[in-house]
Amino acid sequence: MRYFLALILLACGLSVAAQTGLPPAPYADRQLDDPAKEEAARNLMDELRCLKCQSQSIADSNAPMAGDMRSQVRERIAAGETPEQVRDWLIDRYGSWVSYDPPMTPTTWPLWIAPIILLIAALLLAKGRFRRKKDKK
């Protein structure tokens, strides 16, 4: 029993030690002074996926990684980069998966074409199904 209790305490201690002691990124939760630049940063943050949460944008996520990405977006836009340049930089750094609107490349074109092919297949199946019902009557 003592070993089990020691193991639990060790596991709890490791999880606490795993927490980062670094201060949060400077612009993680602080807005830019220029409203136009802040709006551009916000719009871009809504289009970028949190790498840790995966189902949230970096604007909505509370993960430290998302805070770092928000800060990077704000810092780069404050320095004069366009949202497209910042998005391209993040895609170069993390891959096209970071964007909710990935560019069409040879590796992503099946993702863009698959819904169209599935829609055409569904229409053809439905057409054949309705035709068979008419022929039976």
Side-chain angles (χ1 to χ4, degrees), residues 2-93:
R2 288 182 191 173
Y3 293 115
F4 181 70
L5 184 59
L7 184 64
I8 289 175
L9 289 174
L10 179 65
C12 291
L14 288 176
S15 66
V16 169
Q19 297 293 325
T20 181
L22 297 174
Y27 284 104
D29 298 311
R30 195 177 82 188
Q31 295 185 356
L32 296 173
D33 294 331
D34 183 355
K37 287 185 178 183
E38 177 61 28
E39 183 179 351
R42 279 248 170 226
N43 290 338
L44 179 58
M45 288 186 276
D46 285 334
E47 298 173 9
L48 297 171
R49 185 187 318 263
C50 174
L51 298 173
K52 181 133 177 132
C53 303
Q54 299 178 0
S55 62
Q56 289 181 314
S57 70
I58 64 170
D60 298 330
S61 175
N62 290 328
M65 178 76 172
D68 291 341
M69 291 173 73
R70 283 192 305 268
S71 184
Q72 286 286 334
V73 167
R74 285 185 172 124
E75 287 172 14
R76 287 179 169 269
I77 287 180
E81 290 186 38
T82 65
E84 291 76 25
Q85 290 171 322
V86 177
R87 180 185 296 109
D88 291 343
W89 177 78
L90 286 166
I91 288 173
D92 287 342
R93 186 170 186 174

Side-chain angles (χ1 to χ4, degrees), residues 62-133:
N62 290 328
M65 178 76 172
D68 291 341
M69 291 173 73
R70 283 192 305 268
S71 184
Q72 286 286 334
V73 167
R74 285 185 172 124
E75 287 172 14
R76 287 179 169 269
I77 287 180
E81 290 186 38
T82 65
E84 291 76 25
Q85 290 171 322
V86 177
R87 180 185 296 109
D88 291 343
W89 177 78
L90 286 166
I91 288 173
D92 287 342
R93 186 170 186 174
Y94 299 112
S96 61
W97 190 82
V98 75
S99 175
Y100 279 123
D101 187 18
M104 188 176 297
T105 63
T107 56
T108 60
W109 74 263
L111 297 173
W112 290 97
I113 302 300
I116 296 168
I117 292 172
L118 290 174
L119 180 63
I120 291 170
L123 290 173
L124 291 174
L125 285 172
K127 182 180 175 183
R129 191 91 156 138
F130 289 131
R131 186 178 294 156
R132 272 189 252 142
K133 284 188 178 183

